Amino acid sequence: MMTSGMFTTWFLPGIWITIQVTLYSAALAAAVAFIIGTLRTSQLWIVRFVAGTYFEIFRGTSALVLMFWMFFALPLFGWQLVPMWAGVSALGLTYGAYGSEVVRGALAAVSPAQREAGIALSFTRMQRLRRIELPQAWPEMIPPFNNLLIELLKGTALVSTITVADMLFAGNLVRLGSNESAPIYTLLLVIYFAMAWVLTRGMRALERHAKRGIGQLPEKKPGLISRKLSARGETDQAGSQVAGGMG
Amino acid sequence: MNKWDWSNVDDFMPRFWDGVLVTLQALAIGSLIAFSLGLVWAIAQRSTLIWIRWPVIAVTEFIRNTPLLVQLFFLFYVVPEWGPSMSPLATGIVGLGLHYSTYTAEVYRAGIEGVPAGQWEAATALSLPKTRTWTAVILPQAIRRVIPALGNYVISMLKDSPMIAVIGAFEMLGEAQAYSNETFTTEALTVVGVAFIVIAYPASLLLRALERRLVR
Amino acid sequence: MSAENSTSKETPNPAADGSELIRFDGVMKRFGSNVVLDHLDFTVSSGKHVTLIGPSGSGKTTILRLLMTLLKPDEGTIKVGGEYLTHEERNGKLVPAGETHIREVRKNIGMVFQQFNLFPNMGVLRNITEAPVHVLGLSKDEAEERARELVELVGLTEHLDKYPSQLSGGQQQRVAIARALAMRPQVLLLDEVTSALDPELVAGVLDVLRDIAHTTDITMLVVTHEMNFARDISDDVLMFDAGRVIESGSPEKMFSDPEHERTREFLSAVL
């Protein structure tokens, strides 16, 4: 089995690194998602075009390739990124692009009548967005955001390939040190699963809270860890189905 | 070294095409596994026998909610301890296929649930045997509608395929990484990064067109 | 509700003096090849209550939506209180107006919609105070005081803390009326405000509107199928057909002795 030394020097800090990478890249992804998603609903075609280009490019790249590129290629252009920030940027920029489709779709699903009511009360476009459209779209965004968050958590394992000492990196060290692979990889899988479960519970609570905030009752949802995928692909397509996907 | 040098691109190209070939191989066989295994999961999840339904749901949920990368290590290092030992590429293909089968299972499930209840009732009224009901009535209707969704997961698999480089299968990223290490250059990585966009973007456009035709 | 207690922070609501408040000049509106308004000219004097009647598709609602700038005219101009609504004069030339100008003129206009369009993410009180606070710049206290008065006027005091989804259609529509009035508009547009309501809830909403029509000097432009209501509150009734006003006059004349054949047909079908 694992030696206790390995466990405390590498594995426990590794868990903490995984949590940190998840939180930081989720924060970056959320910022990107809201900014790009909102810009994609702009009335100016040039703004829509630029934001849409961002979306298509980052949706098309592989997060791992982007991460490698940031880690290995950027320094040779004179930009040295700390490994963890290379990982966080790659994950945040990629999942932010998927998230922007969630935001755009949920905004598009707000009924035009609400926009008209906002115009009739002389709100500016920014006020309508901030006070009417985003608050109404927000509860609809949470379930697809939950799916993306789990994908992001799984994606954090990639940072181990660019020398960030997350828990998979630590697990690989333990394998090399002990020559036993079954216990450590099983443990890793279980921890990732447990983290996914906790995140899903949290997002569920958030969804209930958000729905109560607009006077709706959330419906009960099935599923072992209660994560429902929509019928279509979710990572790339997180969005094209947003309007219809959550029923 | 920090100037773009086309001669590096030229040098890398033969290995790039080797990598593309491996990637496409992994993608093709991985998709086949994901499509067929996913269908098995989806049907098993609807089984009336609880000792089939429940374990299948548990296993697919577990696989879907844990990282492919860790699963690849598990398949490569743990499974040979008590089972068959596979080459890196074969392990990678099985890993990709297995991981994505838990996604396609959800796609099929939604497709099957989308078939109107009247179809089941009509099959019962005609006393069709169970296998016949599935193969002649339900699945043909369900699958047609989910083809674009399955296609979307092929694109996702494409973007996850570089992970198999980590266990030593030399697909595009693996080749680029090896080349960069030998020459201390970055062009190869950039070429691969661009290659993904060049493949993924038209593919997703194609799927959106297909989706408009098949799903109404 | 009257002009005297308007505060300095907002556009004053001048007492209705009978001067011209709304003017349509040669307004043309098409949807594709379908001409909805055909070179329409008409005016509404301040303080008047004008009802637009006519078969569906005759362009009545389009007029309200043009005034609210939810639609833009293809040709012609609209003036509100002497100011162009969707145009500006620059160097003696008429050019399409910028967003700021449009919003400034539009502040004088309030609208109540067929489907209420309350904000589901806000309670009753906030639905009413949101725009006065963030558009007119009232303090939260001022806005809430104004909202409470209006909620009392529409008879919903005990529902102040509820969300729209917890109210009946009739109650929601009364909140929507209060929300529009909280902006102290000079003109109130009512777009088939009872059409989406269950029959037993219609009377409550119409009573509130009658009350407002009789006790304030707000100018009203009403599209409705409730002919008794139209007769009660209107100073003028305009009959529309195929994008044109074919007849107009006092409700007494229009409802009892219409001149035009189409008006007679229409009224016998709805009365």
Side-chain angles (χ1 to χ4, degrees):
Chain A
M1 198 50 216
M2 283 177 239
T3 57
S4 61
M6 274 298 218
F7 197 81
T8 46
T9 27
W10 288 101
F11 201 77
L12 291 181
I15 295 176
W16 175 230
I17 296 279
T18 294
I19 292 172
Q20 275 179 299
V21 172
T22 307
L23 292 180
Y24 295 149
S25 28
L28 176 59
V32 171
F34 276 99
I35 293 169
I36 299 291
T38 308
L39 292 181
R40 287 179 64 201
T41 65
S42 166
Q43 283 158 329
L44 300 171
W45 73 267
I46 181 75
V47 176
R48 277 201 312 275
F49 178 79
V50 171
T53 306
Y54 174 92
F55 168 67
E56 293 294 355
I57 288 179
F58 281 87
R59 190 178 83 132
T61 32
S62 160
L64 184 57
V65 175
L66 183 64
M67 208 179 279
F68 266 55
W69 191 82
M70 285 184 148
F71 184 63
F72 293 106
L74 270 189
L76 301 183
F77 290 104
W79 272 42
Q80 182 75 54
L81 281 184
V82 179
M84 179 145 132
W85 293 114
V88 165
S89 315
L91 290 171
L93 294 175
T94 313
Y95 286 92
Y98 299 143
S100 78
E101 185 64 4
V102 173
V103 173
R104 190 201 61 76
L107 283 177
V110 173
S111 91
Q114 289 291 314
R115 191 180 59 86
E116 293 181 353
I119 294 175
L121 292 169
S122 293
F123 286 115
T124 64
R125 161 129 184 87
M126 275 310 287
Q127 286 176 322
R128 291 203 302 271
L129 194 66
R130 200 165 87 76
R131 308 192 171 277
I132 303 170
E133 292 167 28
L134 277 175
Q136 289 180 37
W138 165 239
E140 297 301 302
M141 297 178 198
I142 299 176
F145 273 163
N146 183 24
N147 285 340
L148 286 176
L149 189 57
I150 306 290
E151 294 299 326
L152 176 66
L153 168 69
K154 288 159 63 185
T156 62
L158 300 177
V159 301
S160 67
T161 62
I162 55 167
T163 75
V164 178
D166 75 332
M167 61 186 189
L168 176 57
F169 188 88
N172 285 336
L173 284 183
V174 171
R175 184 196 79 233
L176 292 170
S178 66
N179 258 327
E180 273 206 69
S181 49
I184 187 64
Y185 287 125
T186 309
L187 179 64
L188 274 171
L189 289 172
V190 170
I191 296 178
Y192 277 111
F193 185 77
M195 285 178 170
W197 188 84
V198 170
L199 287 179
T200 300
R201 288 287 120 193
M203 292 297 271
R204 265 301 146 72
L206 195 61
E207 187 188 354
R208 270 196 303 276
H209 180 258
K211 287 220 162 137
R212 219 177 295 126
I214 62 167
Q216 283 180 19
L217 285 177
E219 71 273 35
K220 278 250 187 280
K221 298 189 182 175
L224 179 65
I225 67 163
S226 305
R227 175 161 80 99
K228 250 299 198 18
L229 292 179
S230 52
R232 304 189 209 166
E234 53 174 341
T235 33
D236 335 40
Q237 298 64 43
S240 49
Q241 90 284 21
V242 164
M246 60 212 68
Chain B
M1 193 191 296
N2 44 20
K3 270 237 182 71
W4 182 263
D5 185 350
W6 283 105
S7 72
N8 277 319
V9 178
D10 286 345
D11 288 349
F12 172 60
M13 275 336 246
R15 296 175 68 168
F16 172 74
W17 292 115
D18 289 348
V20 170
L21 204 65
V22 174
T23 299
L24 291 182
Q25 240 179 322
L27 201 59
I29 309 175
S31 304
L32 279 181
I33 297 175
F35 291 169
S36 38
L37 198 56
L39 188 55
V40 174
W41 297 141
I43 295 173
Q45 281 176 1
R46 290 183 64 96
S47 167
T48 45
L49 303 171
I50 194 164
W51 52 270
I52 293 184
R53 192 173 66 230
W54 221 89
V56 167
I57 291 176
V59 166
T60 51
E61 287 273 350
F62 189 82
I63 296 176
R64 194 172 54 233
N65 288 289
T66 49
L68 173 59
L69 195 58
V70 184
Q71 290 163 8
L72 289 173
F73 283 122
F74 191 92
L75 286 173
F76 195 64
Y77 293 108
V78 180
V79 170
E81 287 180 10
W82 41 263
S85 167
M86 290 182 292
S87 74
L89 179 58
T91 309
I93 291 171
V94 170
L96 271 173
L98 182 66
H99 190 78
Y100 274 94
S101 73
T102 64
Y103 286 89
T104 58
E106 288 293 299
V107 173
Y108 287 123
R109 188 183 56 72
I112 293 167
E113 281 171 6
V115 176
Q119 294 294 308
W120 291 95
E121 290 164 5
T124 313
L126 294 169
S127 307
L128 284 184
K130 207 161 186 185
T131 5
R132 194 76 201 136
T133 306
W134 274 107
T135 55
V137 181
I138 304 303
L139 290 182
Q141 300 184 50
I143 290 175
R144 179 189 152 85
R145 260 180 295 185
V146 300
I147 288 174
L150 293 177
N152 279 329
Y153 279 120
V154 176
I155 299 182
S156 295
M157 278 174 91
L158 167 72
K159 286 181 288 180
D160 274 357
S161 63
M163 285 189 211
I164 69 176
V166 195
I167 51 168
F170 274 60
E171 47 61 72
M172 287 195 276
L173 181 65
E175 294 283 4
Q177 181 60 13
Y179 183 87
S180 303
N181 282 349
E182 289 158 25
T183 58
F184 297 99
T185 57
T186 65
E187 285 84 354
L189 272 174
T190 309
V191 166
V192 169
V194 172
F196 272 96
I197 300 172
V198 168
I199 302 174
Y201 183 56
S204 72
L205 287 186
L206 197 73
L207 279 169
R208 275 180 241 176
L210 187 69
E211 191 169 321
R212 273 193 293 276
R213 286 195 49 184
L214 288 180
V215 189
R216 267 173 294 263
Chain C
M1 278 314 305
S2 63
E4 288 77 31
N5 45 17
S6 60
T7 66
S8 56
K9 282 180 188 164
E10 52 188 313
T11 324
N13 182 357
D17 54 6
S19 63
E20 178 184 293
L21 186 56
I22 297 172
R23 176 179 200 94
F24 276 56
D25 270 321
V27 171
M28 184 86 178
K29 183 69 197 170
R30 300 181 200 86
F31 293 116
S33 60
N34 185 16
V35 178
V36 183
L37 294 182
D38 186 8
H39 294 99
L40 180 70
D41 301 307
F42 81 98
T43 59
V44 175
S45 306
S46 84
K48 295 291 185 205
H49 307 149
V50 177
T51 303
L52 313 178
I53 62 171
S56 49
S58 57
K60 298 162 296 177
T61 292
T62 305
I63 291 175
L64 301 193
R65 294 173 68 81
L66 283 167
L67 270 169
M68 204 70 257
T69 65
L70 301 173
L71 296 171
K72 295 237 157 74
D74 296 323
E75 284 173 37
T77 56
I78 302 168
K79 276 182 162 183
V80 176
E83 292 264 3
Y84 285 108
L85 179 63
T86 55
H87 295 78
E88 277 174 292
E89 270 173 307
R90 222 173 270 155
N91 309 327
K93 267 186 163 175
L94 222 48
V95 295
E99 182 64 26
T100 326
H101 172 88
I102 293 178
R103 232 187 13 256
E104 210 45 51
V105 181
R106 197 169 54 196
K107 274 184 195 167
N108 301 317
I109 309 171
M111 183 164 183
V112 183
F113 298 85
Q114 186 175 349
Q115 298 290 344
F116 335 135
N117 299 0
L118 292 182
F119 304 129
N121 54 317
M122 304 175 192
V124 167
L125 187 65
R126 231 188 107 202
N127 255 287
I128 301 173
T129 58
E130 192 72 1
V133 170
H134 296 287
V135 176
L136 301 181
L138 260 61
S139 77
K140 202 159 172 273
D141 289 343
E142 281 175 291
E144 284 192 3
E145 192 190 316
R146 187 184 285 192
R148 279 174 213 284
E149 282 170 22
L150 287 167
V151 166
E152 198 183 325
L153 177 77
V154 300
L156 290 172
T157 305
E158 66 271 42
H159 299 293
L160 210 55
D161 299 321
K162 290 192 176 158
Y163 279 97
S165 57
Q166 297 166 310
L167 301 177
S168 75
Q171 290 167 332
Q172 288 189 52
Q173 193 59 296
R174 284 186 272 157
V175 175
I177 293 167
R179 181 176 72 173
L181 291 176
M183 295 293 282
R184 301 259 163 99
Q186 285 175 273
V187 189
L188 187 63
L189 309 178
L190 303 173
D191 185 11
E192 302 198 22
V193 293
T194 55
S195 301
L197 297 177
D198 291 335
E200 74 271 19
L201 302 175
V202 170
V205 171
L206 292 184
D207 285 345
V208 165
L209 290 172
R210 271 195 195 92
D211 192 25
I212 293 164
H214 293 318
T215 58
T216 71
D217 48 21
I218 194 167
T219 309
M220 285 182 171
L221 213 53
V222 185
V223 172
T224 185
H225 294 298
E226 299 285 339
M227 293 303 152
N228 287 326
F229 172 68
R231 197 194 312 247
D232 288 353
I233 61 140
S234 303
D235 298 303
D236 273 310
V237 177
L238 305 186
M239 171 70 194
F240 272 77
D241 193 39
R244 289 172 166 276
V245 181
I246 58 169
E247 185 174 0
S248 65
S250 70
E252 293 76 24
K253 176 195 158 249
M254 289 292 283
F255 287 117
S256 50
D257 185 24
E259 282 167 18
H260 208 283
E261 183 57 31
R262 290 287 293 139
T263 316
R264 273 198 289 274
E265 277 171 26
F266 173 75
L267 287 173
S268 66
V270 295
L271 282 178

